[in-house]
Amino acid sequence: MVFGNSCKQCRVRGQALCGVLADEELAPLAACGVQRSLARGETLVHAGDRAPICANIQRGLMKISHINPAGQEVIVGLLWPGDFVGTPFAGGQPLPAAHDIVALTPVSLCQFPQARVESTMVAHPVMERALLNRTLAELGAVRTRLSRLARATALTRVAGFIVETTRRQEAVGSAADDGETVTTIELPLSRGEIADLLGLTIETVSRQMTRLKNAGVIGLPGGRRVEIHDPDALAEAAEELV
């Protein structure tokens, strides 16, 4: 079977779950993969869905959220290029999704039938172990973040979010550089959404970003752009979360 050109050209293969497979091992899975695009605000998975979807995010950003009993949206996580969506080996009937997964930006992804992902993992345990390692790492990161958020200051939370955004954007080569010493990133969320994610108010997020700006740590040139002027100082402010 000829290895798919889409896989050869995939800019996040090094970060994607399927990147642990050699070309010939990946070919059967690639043959049934479907390239899909989502517009900003479009939902890939609705809470309660039982659709057996598995996918690798290739471009763009998605949020994981749910609606609380008061009818408010709560953002509980983000999905970046290279991240995997799906729950293979759920056992018999697919489990209902616990959260909505919604595109925050235009998104491109490669979608696979869950059964084919499962059979590929059975044939190549290295991929199954990679998923297990990712899941355990994410679980550990969530536990660590929850414990640290309980005692972190507002400044630490905001600085940590900026540091994490920078790291994830640079991992896929999407961070911009002005040719000197300043890295410019595009925040993936509005200030209101950042506030929801960090357990703060919009006003508090704005105050902390202004505080970092006034200290010369970051610049705020407009929109969602943030210039990182002093990455060491930013990391120090975020050290409780990184």
Side-chain angles (χ1 to χ4, degrees):
M1 184 176 294
V2 178
F3 184 57
N5 288 331
S6 60
C7 292
K8 291 180 179 179
Q9 297 167 358
C10 179
R11 65 195 295 261
V12 298
R13 187 177 174 192
Q15 290 82 43
L17 184 63
C18 55
V20 299
L21 300 181
D23 290 357
E24 61 276 11
E25 295 171 329
L26 181 56
L29 182 62
C32 65
V34 176
Q35 296 296 310
R36 184 173 175 186
S37 296
L38 301 177
R40 176 184 174 88
E42 191 172 350
T43 300
L44 174 66
V45 176
H46 292 275
D49 280 355
R50 292 181 180 271
I53 292 176
C54 291
N56 288 323
I57 298 177
Q58 298 172 313
R59 181 178 63 88
L61 187 71
M62 308 195 79
K63 65 180 176 181
I64 306 170
S65 65
H66 71 272
I67 305 300
N68 67 18
Q72 301 167 320
E73 182 186 46
V74 179
I75 299 174
V76 298
L78 301 176
L79 293 168
W80 300 78
D83 283 345
F84 177 79
V85 179
T87 54
F89 303 109
Q93 191 174 7
L95 297 174
H99 301 94
D100 297 323
I101 301 179
V102 182
L104 284 167
T105 67
V107 167
S108 298
L109 52 83
C110 191
Q111 184 172 312
F112 307 96
Q114 180 175 303
R116 181 55 66 90
V117 172
E118 292 176 354
S119 64
T120 300
M121 289 184 178
V122 170
H124 305 288
V126 64
M127 187 176 175
E128 187 176 2
R129 287 194 297 270
L131 177 61
L132 175 61
N133 288 338
R134 283 190 178 210
T135 302
L136 292 175
E138 289 170 5
L139 177 60
V142 168
R143 288 172 172 170
T144 299
R145 183 171 293 275
L146 287 175
S147 66
R148 290 175 173 174
L149 278 175
R151 64 177 187 271
T153 64
L155 179 65
T156 297
R157 299 184 193 193
V158 172
F161 178 76
I162 296 173
V163 168
E164 174 67 7
T165 298
T166 303
R167 184 184 69 82
R168 294 301 301 257
Q169 290 189 6
E170 288 180 339
V172 293
S174 60
D177 192 283
D178 69 354
E180 298 178 358
T181 60
V182 178
T183 294
T184 301
I185 63 168
E186 187 85 10
L187 291 178
L189 302 175
S190 68
R191 293 193 183 187
E193 290 168 329
I194 294 171
D196 288 342
L197 183 65
L198 301 181
L200 302 170
T201 65
I202 298 175
E203 294 78 13
T204 299
V205 170
S206 295
R207 282 197 299 270
Q208 301 312 314
M209 293 182 71
T210 299
R211 181 178 172 185
L212 290 168
K213 175 185 175 182
N214 291 341
V217 178
I218 66 172
L220 300 173
R224 296 187 182 183
R225 290 180 299 156
V226 174
E227 296 174 345
I228 312 300
H229 292 288
D230 190 338
D232 292 337
L234 182 64
E236 183 177 351
E239 63 182 356
E240 293 185 32
L241 294 180
V242 297

